[in-house]
Amino acid sequence: MDQSQAPVLEALSALHANPLTAFTPPGHKQGRGTDPRVLDVLGADVFRSDVLATGGLDDRTDSHGTLQRAQELMAEAVDADHTFFSTCGSSLSVKAAMLAVAGPHEHLLVGRDAHKSVIAGLILAGIRPIWVDPAWDAERHLAHPPTADAYRAALAAHPEARGALVTSPTPYGSCADLRAIADACHEHGVPLLVDEAWGAHLPFHHQLPAWAMDAGADLCVTSVHKMGSGLEQGSVFHLRGDLIDPVVLGRCADLLDTTSPNVLIYAALDGWRRQMVQHGPRLYDDALALAAQTRDRIDAIDGMHVHGRADFCGPGLAADLDPLQIIIDITALGTTGYRAGDWLRAHHQITAHLCDHRRISAQLTHADDPVSTGALLDALAELAVHAPELTPAQQVDVPDPKELRLEQAELPRDAFFGPVETVELTDADGRIAAEMLTPYPPGIPAALPGERLNRPVLDYLRTGRAAGMLVPDAADPELRTVRVAARS
């Protein structure tokens, strides 16, 4: 196929040249009805390009196949058999993938470091999770993806499992040994799903970690808005092989997808694919060189340590590391990542990617340059000087791995939709959670529906919240109370 084409963008350009007089949604009618004060902020072109996908961008019957051709070009660009676009983010894409593999009460192996969207998929589908424990770095209080041996053991213990799901890269940039995990799955005749939300860029440079399709995965989900040039909510999911029926996958996506997709998101996905095919290697040559230089300069700042492969990779840890995720341990500064992140925003208009009890991180992409990284370096150098003003920091009681892993006492769906009651957080020890309790970012639940709460996890959430942790999905964001399954 001609990868210089961008079917969605070209169709929009044709509409701009020969506009429709539409008696259909959207009701702003290409911005004519939009409040001028809104246009002053968002710009007229946003509304001019906000058209129906079917009956606007394409005709009533989609006779031009505009979206289909864009998806086929994306699939060819990354050597997938099929690609599907999503305008509802990878949160939709990963749910569709799960629904296509396992049904109510069927088993699915899932790394316990999964994003909350995966937990939502378990609840919606009624899937019974078989949790695979992450590789836990006790020294750094950090979880890496589960090992291939952990998946192999889980498959041996649960031959009835319909497939396996792994998250790689994690928001901390650590990567699983996807090839070994895929081999283990295929030995059992089941597919491997990869939540590769943070890996949109991986197919486009040989020095980046191996991406899911090249490693033998059957399906992967990618958030183009995270590490690519997509608009927020722009996601794709790729399929290869014959272990998952593309028709079934498409139907599952249709169950969850909007019937009013945003063409702007489609257009950005389409244009990003063309950009990567034509310029990706050069752009990532520059990005990787800039990341290496930035890592070295941050590591030289007193009180800051940039985690590299020596820290994150090795036996029992991660298999690889994305160098564009710059993870900075600030333990030596005596404060928390929460306070440091707030200080950077308040004093330098710098937003950190992740802030946890001892780290902050900076996500670099092909869009960064010496100007943006220079601003980051200046802000971090000043943070080191002002760190004494951010101490003493509230201590966060981080449990050890055994305490952090809760018993799955009920099916997630049963606990979520069943009778619930609200109790004080201090009284929830031993009760079964009926809601997700998710420190965000990165969005990995500390407790999820159906898990039996214990004192160490409750203390972690309580002290974390006091230190600045955000738990936005809790019914009580202040975490004074928690929803639990009602006692019969």
Side-chain angles (χ1 to χ4, degrees):
M1 300 178 72
D2 183 358
Q3 288 287 336
S4 68
Q5 294 180 343
V8 178
L9 285 167
E10 290 159 10
L12 271 178
S13 179
L15 279 181
H16 292 168
N18 187 24
L20 295 168
T21 301
F23 295 95
T24 68
H28 58 71
K29 301 298 180 77
Q30 283 67 65
R32 296 194 302 276
T34 305
D35 188 323
R37 294 169 294 183
V38 176
L39 294 176
D40 284 345
V41 176
L42 298 183
D45 285 343
V46 169
F47 293 91
R48 193 161 66 112
S49 297
D50 185 29
V51 299
L52 291 177
T54 299
L57 185 72
D58 209 331
D59 60 26
R60 178 180 63 83
T61 63
D62 284 336
S63 65
H64 298 292
T66 303
L67 178 60
Q68 182 61 33
R69 287 192 295 119
Q71 292 178 144
E72 290 171 354
L73 283 161
M74 180 76 82
E76 183 185 78
V78 298
D79 198 23
D81 294 339
H82 305 274
T83 290
F84 301 81
F85 285 3
S86 166
T87 64
C88 297
S90 290
S91 294
L92 177 146
S93 305
V94 75
K95 294 183 187 80
M98 295 166 67
L99 287 169
V101 170
H105 300 283
E106 292 184 325
H107 293 81
L108 182 69
L109 305 185
V110 183
R112 184 54 184 83
D113 58 336
H115 187 264
K116 62 177 293 184
S117 58
V118 173
I119 312 308
L122 297 173
I123 292 169
L124 288 172
I127 293 170
R128 190 175 298 278
I130 303 298
W131 297 116
V132 185
D133 288 337
W136 180 254
D137 184 338
E139 177 185 347
R140 299 176 180 87
H141 291 146
L142 189 72
H144 296 296
T147 64
D149 285 343
Y151 275 96
R152 197 177 297 277
L155 285 164
H158 298 276
E160 76 284 358
R162 303 286 292 173
L165 188 150
V166 63
T167 302
S168 179
T170 70
Y172 291 88
S174 60
C175 302
D177 186 350
L178 293 180
R179 187 167 299 282
I181 298 172
D183 288 345
C185 288
H186 296 160
E187 289 167 10
H188 286 261
V190 299
L192 173 63
L193 317 180
V194 181
D195 182 351
E196 200 168 57
W198 290 101
H201 56 310
L202 299 184
F204 300 105
H205 199 280
H206 67 281
Q207 290 182 356
L208 290 167
W211 83 291
M213 294 286 96
D214 279 353
D218 300 275
L219 190 153
C220 78
V221 169
T222 293
S223 294
V224 176
H225 67 92
K226 284 186 169 71
M227 294 294 289
S229 297
L231 296 175
E232 282 294 305
Q233 296 181 215
S235 170
V236 298
F237 44 115
H238 304 292
L239 179 65
R240 182 190 284 174
D242 57 5
L243 290 180
I244 301 173
D245 186 338
V247 174
V248 172
L249 178 60
R251 291 174 64 189
C252 291
D254 191 54
L255 283 176
L256 304 171
D257 211 348
T258 176
T259 57
S260 305
N262 192 311
V263 164
L264 291 162
I265 297 176
Y266 284 158
L269 293 172
D270 195 25
W272 171 78
R273 180 266 316 156
R274 181 174 62 181
Q275 178 190 28
M276 288 297 101
V277 170
Q278 295 181 333
H279 307 297
R282 176 183 60 80
L283 289 171
Y284 281 104
D285 278 343
D286 295 342
L288 288 166
L290 182 64
Q293 180 186 67
T294 304
R295 285 171 160 276
D296 289 343
R297 293 182 64 183
I298 295 172
D299 204 49
I301 298 173
D302 286 344
M304 297 189 185
H305 172 63
V306 177
H307 287 302
R309 290 183 57 85
D311 297 325
F312 278 14
C313 301
L317 300 175
D320 206 346
L321 176 68
D322 180 1
L324 297 182
Q325 298 290 357
I326 302 178
I327 313 299
I328 309 162
D329 193 309
I330 60 169
T331 304
L333 294 182
T335 189
T336 63
Y338 310 124
R339 286 193 175 185
D342 292 345
W343 189 93
L344 289 170
R345 174 68 180 258
H347 293 272
H348 284 270
Q349 287 293 99
I350 294 285
T351 57
H353 170 209
L354 289 174
C355 303
D356 68 18
H357 62 289
R358 60 186 285 181
R359 284 170 286 262
I360 55 177
S361 78
Q363 166 201 331
L364 299 192
T365 74
H366 63 289
D368 282 292
D369 58 25
V371 174
S372 66
T373 57
L376 172 66
L377 289 162
D378 289 345
L380 291 174
E382 192 171 337
L383 169 65
V385 172
H386 288 272
E389 302 167 18
L390 305 179
T391 59
Q394 175 82 32
Q395 181 178 342
V396 181
D397 296 336
V398 182
D400 67 36
K402 291 182 180 178
E403 294 172 326
L404 199 57
R405 274 290 285 116
L406 300 174
E407 173 199 356
Q408 190 72 50
E410 290 186 11
L411 201 65
R413 181 175 66 177
D414 293 347
F416 185 86
F417 289 114
V420 302
E421 58 182 300
T422 300
V423 301
E424 296 291 324
L425 185 75
T426 52
D427 296 332
D429 186 14
R431 301 298 297 272
I432 296 172
E435 62 177 336
M436 279 190 267
L437 300 172
T438 310
Y440 208 93
I444 298 165
L448 53 89
E451 287 188 332
R452 191 179 302 279
L453 297 165
N454 65 17
R455 180 59 56 196
V457 166
L458 292 171
D459 286 344
Y460 165 59
L461 291 167
R462 176 182 54 79
T463 58
R465 182 69 189 87
M469 176 193 291
L470 296 178
V471 188
D473 54 1
D476 175 6
E478 298 300 318
L479 281 186
R480 296 185 184 94
T481 62
V482 61
R483 285 165 61 88
V484 297
R487 285 175 170 153
S488 56

